[in-house]
Amino acid sequence: MTTQSRSFCRLCPAYCGIVVTCDGDRVVKVQGDREHPVSQGYTCPKGRALGELHHHPRRLDGPHLRRNGRLEPVTWEELLDDLAAKLRGILDARGAAAVGAYFGTAAVFDANLYWAGAALLKRLGSPSKFTSGTIDAPSYPMVRRLMGGVGWLFHSIDFERATMTLLLGTNPVVSHNAHMQAFPNPTARIRELARRGEVWVADSRRTETARIATRHLALRPGTDYALLAFLVRELLRDGADREYLVVHATRVDELRAAVERFDMAATSRITDLPADDLTDLLAAVRRHGRLALQTGTGTSMAPAANLTQWFAIALLAVTGSLERPGGVWFNPGFVQGLDKRPGTPDPEPEPGPPSRPELPRQGGEYPSITMIDEMEAGNLQALFVLGGNLLSALPDALRVRAALERTPVVVVSDVQHGDMTEVATHVLAAAGPLERADLPHFSDCLAPVLAAQYTPAVVPVGADRRAGWWPLAALGERLGASILPQGVSLESATDDDLLRPRVRPASRATFDELKAAPTALVDEDRSLGWVERNVLPGGRWNLAPAPLVSQLEGVGEPAPLVMIPRRLWRRVNSYGRDLPQVLEREPADILLHPADAADAGVVDGGLVFVESAFGRLRGIARVDDSIRPGAVAIPHGWSDPNVSELLSASEGVDPLTGMPTYSGVPVTLSAEEG
Ligand code: SF4
């Protein structure tokens, strides 16, 4: 019998509403929900491929245990007994810090899995928490903590009123997010912003977003900070919102001094943008007064990521655009209700783990890069990898693999066999997105409006899989570290039992109200001003934190040819790369400009070898003038080519965030293996 169910896609923070058609337990179609108040029928190919993911031939159907070097299917009892015994031995011999967990992208969009992993670490007393956020965007919370006292402040474009929008190093038409906010139905949103005013895109590539923007600035990779510093400098001379700065900012003079060197000539030289581009952009910002601004991985994975974040917030402050109509607002989260709670400043950073104490622990997380050193030093004896792929996410894949192979216990929670199950000692076969109830937890702060949605499971959990949270809760019971809510037993616990407490008392709707709603609930309020009122020390942004001023003094200029990351339409990081629609229609080719290709003797469709100081990879060249000379774009998250092989896990690590250099890495090209 054919049935249709409403749900929402949980592969990225856009959380598009979907209608899933099933024939019995078989998912036959996934399409956009036209009545969804946020995504309005929009979906991308990833969401529409949820059925393919659900029925994937490499889908994990049950738990597996490695014995004598081979992964064998076992019962959950066998797996949990073995794992609990090993963890007990490690906890007794080495202490709680020897058990760690990495939360990948998939865990971020599975509210119960994320919560259960964090709760288990907390109950065990382990500080060894690592997340994908420290791989591609640690500058966001670090800079916001320095400037505003709290790290995770998610700012969103005021889509209904903004007339001047600046997007730097982000391609929401493909990625559907700009790290600070999600872009469901991105093309319609950007076209509407452009129709109402102007949308400027600064990117080394003429991206899909740049093509529908008002103007594209093809700046040199990694120089976004200089473009922003130039705007701040000029606006502080003429065009700043002085009233806002007097009331809501400190250290304006120090900011003015810091940006003084970014005059037209210097900025044009650093960014390689003609003076006309700079003049026109400055005039546009002055013309509109306020602006909305977002950045993406093109900036946050670059060496100057911290400086770009600094000047982004500074520019928004100088133009009086923070928490003002037509600028940006901070989404407090529909179920989080941060605006209705007293703000508590983040604690000061703590030392990193024993092998890398100089790389700070912030927001309760060690930088993910330190996992490698901790495993090599034998400090991490057991590592849970929840919904992530360390072999393509961390630098130096060979070193990561060796570190994982020497770690006694590697527990992988995933929906299908892949790179990580090859190195796992214990495999937890997790329910997929269509097999579990869910709602946005902290990621509700990423929505472009105040919204949240509950979904029940669309299909029953198949084969011998379990919800991602379940084995973690079962381990807690075995280890005397129960994570279950009071009064809930493991035998009877459901997804809903764990979701219910995720809806905070300050939520705009109760769990039962969310559950009863046919689709997302929306609050049209923009809650302007709550960060000034509840969060900022004295209601003011610090516009020139000393650590950032000092980092600016040492910033270098980019190499002539560098590698940059690229998002693909049919994939989110490592997810989806082996779906047939991806393999056939979206190969992970290496994009380079015709001039760079000619210099290296590389031809379109031919092999290209890319070499950095740390390693090399090869791939198929796509020679195309949509990318500027001096930039080579390689998608991340693939095993072939794996950009991780070009990156160092020990050199070029940012001391403020512990993020290695993932973008802007100097490379050379050749057509033949040298
Ligand atoms: S943009 Fe695509 S992947 Fe993201 S939620 Fe929507 S359908 Fe899913």
Side-chain angles (χ1 to χ4, degrees):
M1 188 181 73
T2 302
T3 55
Q4 283 199 325
S5 314
R6 273 201 163 130
S7 182
F8 64 95
C9 174
R10 284 151 282 159
L11 297 177
C12 92
Y15 289 144
C16 298
I18 52 173
V19 176
V20 184
T21 306
C22 294
D23 186 356
D25 287 350
R26 184 133 205 109
V27 180
V28 292
K29 191 168 187 182
V30 177
Q31 55 197 135
D33 178 357
R34 289 178 195 278
E35 289 167 40
H36 194 274
V38 184
S39 55
Q40 296 154 340
Y42 176 85
T43 50
C44 79
K46 297 182 281 287
R48 294 194 293 276
L50 277 166
E52 273 184 66
L53 174 71
H54 182 66
H55 299 294
H56 198 283
R58 284 165 68 81
R59 192 75 208 274
L60 281 162
D61 282 338
H64 287 69
L65 180 61
R66 191 168 298 279
R67 288 175 173 147
N68 303 318
R70 287 169 54 90
L71 268 188
E72 295 175 5
V74 289
T75 66
W76 282 103
E77 285 302 301
E78 284 176 284
L79 181 124
L80 291 168
D81 285 346
D82 183 89
L83 181 52
K86 289 192 165 83
L87 291 176
R88 172 51 58 206
I90 291 168
L91 290 165
D92 289 345
R94 306 294 296 265
V99 177
Y102 169 76
F103 299 74
T105 307
V108 171
F109 304 120
D110 178 342
N112 280 342
L113 173 63
Y114 192 96
W115 174 82
L120 185 61
L121 284 184
K122 196 169 173 191
R123 285 287 282 119
L124 294 175
S126 171
S128 303
K129 181 184 178 198
F130 310 88
T131 72
S132 54
T134 63
I135 291 180
D136 60 6
S139 56
Y140 290 82
M142 191 278 292
V143 169
R144 279 159 182 73
R145 184 180 61 73
L146 289 175
M147 299 182 76
V150 169
W152 283 115
L153 294 171
F154 298 84
H155 81 248
S156 177
I157 293 169
D158 181 359
F159 280 105
E160 288 76 28
R161 289 168 289 196
T163 60
M164 173 67 195
T165 304
L166 177 58
L167 302 172
L168 299 109
T170 183
N171 185 13
V173 167
V174 164
S175 68
H176 301 93
N177 71 87
H179 265 144
M180 285 289 101
Q181 72 160 96
F183 271 77
N185 204 356
T187 302
R189 284 177 193 280
I190 290 162
R191 283 197 202 283
E192 172 59 18
L193 287 168
R195 188 196 58 73
R196 191 183 314 122
E198 301 179 50
V199 175
W200 289 60
V201 171
D203 203 299
S204 305
R205 192 163 71 82
R206 193 169 66 251
T207 60
E208 293 77 357
T209 304
R211 286 177 196 158
I212 58 169
T214 314
R215 181 97 168 241
H216 171 221
L217 306 178
L219 80 181
R220 182 179 282 155
T223 61
D224 311 72
Y225 76 93
L227 180 63
L228 295 171
F230 163 76
L231 293 173
V232 170
R233 177 187 190 271
E234 297 303 320
L235 289 162
L236 281 173
R237 289 167 178 232
D238 175 16
D241 185 336
R242 306 217 173 264
E243 201 179 315
Y244 181 89
L245 292 177
V246 167
V247 180
H248 292 299
T250 61
R251 292 177 60 83
V252 178
D253 287 341
E254 288 81 355
L255 173 67
R256 186 179 286 109
V259 297
E260 182 52 32
R261 67 178 154 109
F262 294 95
D263 61 13
M264 179 77 77
T267 307
S268 181
R269 182 179 54 74
I270 296 168
T271 59
D272 197 29
L273 288 174
D276 281 354
D277 277 352
L278 299 176
T279 305
D280 292 352
L281 175 61
L282 176 60
V285 176
R286 283 194 175 126
R287 193 160 57 240
H288 293 271
R290 285 189 184 144
L291 86 158
L293 181 159
Q294 285 292 9
T295 58
T297 41
T299 68
S300 66
M301 297 172 93
N306 302 338
L307 304 180
T308 301
Q309 287 309 306
W310 170 20
F311 293 134
I313 295 286
L315 179 60
L316 289 167
V318 165
T319 52
S321 303
L322 291 158
E323 299 194 275
R324 295 292 183 275
V328 300
W329 60 291
F330 291 91
N331 189 331
F334 189 98
V335 300
Q336 302 278 322
L338 294 172
D339 54 337
K340 297 181 179 172
R341 299 196 239 159
T344 313
D346 285 357
E348 286 299 308
E350 302 166 82
S355 60
R356 299 296 295 270
E358 77 284 8
L359 299 180
R361 181 171 191 262
Q362 305 186 65
E365 298 174 8
Y366 288 134
S368 288
I369 188 82
T370 64
M371 258 183 293
I372 306 171
D373 302 86
E374 285 292 275
M375 286 189 284
E376 288 174 344
N379 297 336
L380 262 183
Q381 291 282 300
L383 180 65
F384 287 77
V385 181
L386 308 175
N389 184 342
L390 297 179
L391 291 162
S392 58
L394 289 174
D396 201 341
L398 290 177
R399 193 176 153 195
V400 175
R401 180 178 285 276
L404 286 164
E405 285 172 350
R406 61 172 293 170
T407 301
V409 175
V410 177
V411 187
V412 170
S413 172
D414 217 318
V415 295
Q416 68 183 61
H417 284 286
D419 295 347
M420 290 309 300
T421 56
E422 285 174 18
V423 292
T425 58
H426 300 75
V427 176
L428 312 178
L434 298 177
E435 295 172 303
R436 60 174 198 253
D438 218 333
L439 51 73
H441 51 140
F442 62 79
S443 49
D444 62 345
C445 296
L446 293 162
V449 293
L450 267 163
Q453 181 170 6
Y454 166 88
T455 179
V458 171
V459 291
V461 181
D464 195 16
R465 301 172 201 126
R466 295 293 177 108
W469 61 266
W470 184 85
L472 306 181
L475 281 170
E477 299 297 308
R478 280 170 160 78
L479 294 169
S482 177
I483 61 170
L484 291 169
Q486 218 171 9
V488 174
S489 72
L490 185 66
E491 290 68 36
S492 65
T494 63
D495 287 353
D496 282 5
D497 289 331
L498 273 73
L499 287 174
R500 185 177 288 275
R502 308 281 70 71
V503 179
R504 310 292 293 247
S507 168
R508 279 157 165 80
T510 64
F511 178 72
D512 290 326
E513 287 166 341
L514 282 160
K515 200 170 164 182
T519 183
L521 293 179
V522 174
D523 181 345
E524 297 298 340
D525 182 24
R526 291 291 171 271
S527 196
L528 296 174
W530 69 272
V531 170
E532 283 163 15
R533 281 193 307 275
N534 299 0
V535 175
L536 301 179
R540 291 165 184 270
W541 294 94
N542 175 354
L543 293 193
L548 300 177
V549 173
S550 144
Q551 208 160 54
L552 179 64
E553 282 161 12
V555 70
E557 293 195 16
L561 186 66
V562 298
M563 180 274 287
I564 61 171
R566 184 166 107 245
R567 293 276 185 195
L568 295 182
W569 177 232
R570 290 178 168 78
R571 285 191 319 109
V572 185
N573 298 336
S574 58
Y575 158 75
R577 68 187 188 196
D578 60 352
L579 290 175
Q581 61 148 340
V582 176
L583 295 172
E584 287 161 18
R585 298 170 64 185
E586 195 165 52
D589 46 18
I590 296 174
L591 181 61
L592 61 158
H593 188 271
D596 294 325
D599 285 351
V602 172
V603 295
D604 188 41
L607 271 182
V608 55
F609 293 82
V610 185
E611 183 159 1
S612 74
F614 313 107
R616 69 181 354 229
L617 56 76
R618 71 171 195 176
I620 302 299
R622 180 149 65 88
V623 179
D624 185 333
D625 68 1
S626 66
I627 192 165
R628 57 159 289 141
V632 180
I634 310 175
H636 58 250
W638 288 72
S639 54
D640 185 18
N642 186 348
V643 286
S644 166
E645 289 162 8
L646 295 176
L647 309 174
S648 168
S650 49
E651 289 180 36
V653 180
D654 178 63
L656 296 181
T657 60
M659 189 189 81
T661 302
Y662 283 104
S663 172
V665 176
V667 292
T668 56
L669 303 175
S670 58
E672 291 169 12
E673 195 153 15

